[in-house]
Amino acid sequence: MKISYSWLKDYIDCDLTPQQVAEAMTSIGIEVDSVEEIEEIPGGLEGVVVAEVVECEPHPNSDHLHVTKVDDGSGELQDVVCGAPNVAKGQKVLFARVGAVLPGGLRLKKSKLRGIDSYGMICADDELGIGSDHSGIKVLPADAPVGMSAKQWLGIKTEAVIEYEITANRADVASHWGVARDLYAYLKLRGIPCELHFPDLSAFAEGEGESMPIDVQDITASPRYVGITMTGVKTGPSPDWMQKRLNSVGLRPIDNIVDISNYVLMEMGQPLHTFDADKVSGGKVIVRRAAAGEKIRTLDGVERELLPEDIVIADARGPMCIAGVFGGEDSGVSDKTENVFIEGAYFDPGSIRKTSKKHGLQTDASYRFERGCDPQMAILGAKRAALLIQELAGGCVKGKVRESYPQPIAKKEIDLDYNWVEEFIGKKIGHDTIEKILTFLQYDFLEKREGGAKIAAPTYMVDVQRPCDVVEEILRIYGYNNIDLPMHMKMSVNATPKPEPEAIRNGISNFLVSNGFNETMNNSLTKASAYDSLTTFPAERCVHIVNPLSSDLNVMRQTLLLSGLEVIAYNLNRQVTYMKIFEYGSVYQRLPETDGTTLKGYEEHPAYAMFISGTPDKTWREAPGKSSYFALKGYVELLLRRFGADIWQMNTAPAPSDIFSEGVVYSLPGHGPQLAVMGTVKPSLARKFDVRQPVFAAEINWNTLFELVRRDKVKFTELPRFPEVRRDLAILLDEEVDYASLRRAAFKSARNLLKDVTLFDVYRGDKIPSGKKQYALSFVLQDKDRTLTDTDTENAVNRIMTTFRKEFGAELR
């Protein structure tokens, strides 16, 4: 949920900053997620300044380009090649320096146009996002000061937007008015000057003629229903101020009539629906339950079969919309609409919730209706919309307001004992404080007595039913932090670091077990002779035991890899030929001094080891798959990605040859520590442990992995709404070119569109020259904002291929 700070200030006069408003909201139970400054133009045209064209000459190699020198106030003239027909010496212009990011994400770089270097760009209106004109550059008045930022010159404003979460019982704050109402109570209690302003509806007046009648056939489904008929409206774009406000809270402007409904929704929390009155067959609006098998085509173009418990707004022909959930395609407002029917209603929350869930339709309207709207807002919201339509669409009210409200919803009456309230709270806050808070929250005092009162909860507080609910409201405004802690508290407090290492370790272990691995546990003591032939883990670096129990347990292990080979040998001797195992444990080494020769001190760190060996048993369903280096590599990379490591950003090196016949070492970028090593265990080393079948092993440094987990910040990204596009390329490359380099280059070339790169074939052989190889690569392209065209796709693939040619000498097959 989002609210605009400037919009909020329409309803509450106070001197609080956006951050202070957010803190106050959190204090009264409206949990704020963020306060974001949103600029009218994304990026605020950072790097764009007012400049003067000092020189302007025709380009020697072009009939339409000009070579200019631009004074941008930096003290040095900038050489700029410009293609605009209206560029001329002496003009004041808006100049984007190298490094500036223009709307659309274009980052300016030094370029060369027809052989002449260009350092920046003289901009047109559309390039700056301030208009649609691209006939030439934007020319400023002669008195525009050189060096002033475009943001300052154009008066680009920022808007503070507060994003917050509400619980299921707080539909009353799902609007600017609702938040203002709560803030008012909070500020007034603290003596902070503020005034609350409800939108002025005094100008509303009923008109002449006969308004469209309504027929509410099920008053339990729609306890209150209001209709206002308006004629002579003219649809068109909303004014700029309304569009900006809707955009700021995440709503897309459509046209003035629809936008007004959305505006009132975000302003007052009252969902409205506007029908094209000329499309209402029979001249009457009917509120009823749907008939079994009845169908409606909704605004998204989907034909839906209705259920008997669904509430519909219908005419003589059938359903026009699903009440409180989604509008119908045939009755909506269009650019030809002249007469409208404004619906304001209070629908049964339970019915709306069931309909929304069964049809899989979660809308802004259903979100509020199913939580319980304020029934008093139905008439107020409809009148507010009517006044806005008169102002922005030129319509006028026809006839009287139609309303069905046979059984007015009464305010919940609650008997309150102030002493009980203070006992419940745990602090004597004062009876006058209790009454002030309730008054500020718009409770009615039906009768007062010494030490208590009979009160009526406002209708917007749908969840206040009992005295304890009132205490919660009092505490929200009084402030939970103002309740003193007792002098003595008995509790058990455990200080747990975040992220919790034990939880992460359990997560890794669960991940491996769920992928078919079995956990092993080995003794940290081993025999020194196992390290005699190793250079990666030399015997002199072993930590020796002073009084070993035996020669086989005389040193601390330097690696988990040798322990895993012992486990594999043990199982092979017992006819277990296929193994997927892992171990978590500590490894130990003596540390060298800075001169690299003297050993002094010790180092211990935890590690994970993974092993795959053998072939699984054949089953009736499928042929067995052989263990392989790439199978292990897949598990390792999946594990690293799962816990925050981007393997494509890691440094890689060949695995140590004394342990692996082939493999790779991953290290953190720069000169960071080693993260993981994996590969095919050298057969000669495996045979020393009496293992005669291929073994694929990996060891991960826990400390390095946990540091990546600690740095990793998980962020939510919504699922893309637009389809992916796949393109395959077969390219001829030199043998020394590796896939990782190609992948990095591809993402660098098409960063905004490229989502994935896959190598699906490697070919060496017939018709491939010596020293060459053929890679078949698959590229997945996707734009989060629109569907890619063939031209977009081809341009992206061409950029990738151009990079491959320049950096790797690739040839397209």
Side-chain angles (χ1 to χ4, degrees), residues 71-328:
D71 178 9
D72 65 348
S74 64
E76 296 183 7
L77 297 181
Q78 306 295 329
D79 294 324
V80 180
V81 178
C82 181
N86 65 327
V87 66
K89 179 180 177 181
Q91 290 175 332
K92 295 292 182 67
V93 296
L94 290 175
F95 172 66
R97 294 168 170 161
V98 172
V101 179
L102 299 181
L106 172 64
R107 181 179 291 277
L108 292 186
K109 300 179 181 178
K110 172 190 171 184
S111 59
K112 182 172 287 190
L113 299 175
R114 299 289 181 91
I116 295 181
D117 291 336
S118 182
Y119 299 86
M121 183 171 73
I122 304 173
C123 301
D125 282 358
D126 65 333
E127 292 164 335
L128 296 171
I130 59 176
S132 57
D133 184 16
H134 193 69
S135 60
I137 59 172
K138 183 175 183 63
V139 180
L140 305 180
D143 60 351
V146 171
M148 176 181 283
S149 69
K151 180 178 180 179
Q152 184 179 355
W153 172 258
L154 295 170
I156 297 173
K157 299 178 181 178
T158 59
E159 173 64 75
V161 174
I162 302 172
E163 187 167 1
Y164 61 99
E165 298 288 339
I166 62 173
T167 54
N169 64 327
R170 294 304 311 277
D172 59 293
V173 290
S175 66
H176 289 76
W177 168 251
V179 173
R181 184 171 49 203
D182 260 19
L183 283 174
Y184 173 78
Y186 174 85
L187 298 176
K188 289 291 286 185
L189 182 67
R190 285 153 181 80
I192 300 173
C194 62
E195 294 294 333
L196 195 62
H197 305 289
F198 190 77
D200 185 9
L201 305 179
S202 60
F204 179 84
E206 296 179 337
E208 298 180 354
E210 190 70 17
S211 58
M212 185 172 293
I214 61 175
D215 179 14
V216 180
Q217 299 179 359
D218 190 336
I219 62 172
T220 59
S222 179
R224 189 173 196 180
Y225 192 85
V226 175
I228 297 177
T229 306
M230 299 193 70
T231 59
V233 303
K234 184 177 181 180
T235 58
S238 297
D240 187 58
W241 64 266
M242 179 173 282
Q243 293 194 37
K244 286 180 179 178
R245 285 192 166 183
L246 292 176
N247 278 319
S248 70
V249 296
L251 294 179
R252 180 175 61 88
I254 298 173
D255 60 52
N256 51 1
I257 305 300
V258 176
D259 291 351
I260 286 169
S261 296
N262 289 332
Y263 186 87
V264 174
L265 172 74
M266 300 308 299
E267 178 185 53
M268 304 171 68
Q270 174 61 44
L272 302 174
H273 191 75
T274 307
F275 298 90
D276 186 326
D278 296 325
K279 296 179 181 178
V280 179
S281 178
K284 182 169 67 172
V285 173
I286 304 168
V287 184
R288 59 175 174 83
R289 298 282 184 176
E294 206 167 21
K295 294 183 179 180
I296 183 176
R297 184 175 296 277
T298 47
L299 286 172
D300 56 358
V302 177
E303 186 175 75
R304 304 178 188 275
E305 184 171 337
L306 300 172
L307 303 171
E309 56 266 32
D310 295 336
I311 311 169
V312 296
I313 311 301
D315 61 8
R317 289 176 300 185
M320 295 189 293
C321 80
I322 305 175
V325 180
F326 213 25

Side-chain angles (χ1 to χ4, degrees), residues 593-658:
E593 286 283 2
T594 53
D595 61 3
T597 57
T598 306
L599 294 175
K600 186 178 180 180
Y602 302 93
E603 189 262 347
E604 172 188 355
H605 71 264
Y608 269 94
M610 301 163 57
F611 302 86
I612 300 179
S613 183
T615 302
D617 293 335
K618 183 177 181 180
T619 68
W620 64 271
R621 290 184 297 135
E622 56 187 7
K626 292 184 178 180
S627 300
S628 70
Y629 164 76
F630 291 101
L632 176 70
K633 184 172 183 285
Y635 288 122
V636 172
E637 292 181 353
L638 191 61
L639 172 63
L640 295 181
R641 284 198 300 269
R642 167 66 179 81
F643 291 95
D646 184 357
I647 60 170
W648 302 110
Q649 301 298 320
M650 300 292 166
N651 295 329
T652 58
S657 58
D658 58 329

Side-chain angles (χ1 to χ4, degrees), residues 552-572:
D552 289 336
L553 300 172
N554 59 354
V555 297
M556 306 291 286
R557 60 186 178 186
Q558 294 189 56
T559 176
L560 301 181
L561 297 174
L562 304 186
S563 300
L565 290 175
E566 292 176 350
V567 172
I568 291 173
Y570 181 90
N571 282 271
L572 286 173

Side-chain angles (χ1 to χ4, degrees), residues 541-557:
R541 299 281 294 276
C542 287
V543 179
H544 287 262
I545 304 300
V546 176
N547 295 305
L549 296 176
S550 70
S551 58
D552 289 336
L553 300 172
N554 59 354
V555 297
M556 306 291 286
R557 60 186 178 186

Side-chain angles (χ1 to χ4, degrees), residues 451-487:
K454 186 175 184 180
I455 60 174
T459 52
Y460 72 81
M461 288 188 172
V462 295
D463 67 319
V464 175
Q465 302 290 326
R466 301 167 297 168
C468 59
D469 298 327
V470 179
V471 174
E472 181 183 352
E473 297 301 308
I474 294 170
L475 267 174
R476 280 196 312 107
I477 304 304
Y478 182 78
Y480 287 96
N481 292 336
N482 294 325
I483 304 302
D484 301 326
L485 293 174
M487 295 300 295

Side-chain angles (χ1 to χ4, degrees), residues 1 20 92 293 332 391 594 655 803:
M1 191 72 63
Q20 289 172 328
K92 295 292 182 67
E391 177 185 349
T594 53
T803 301

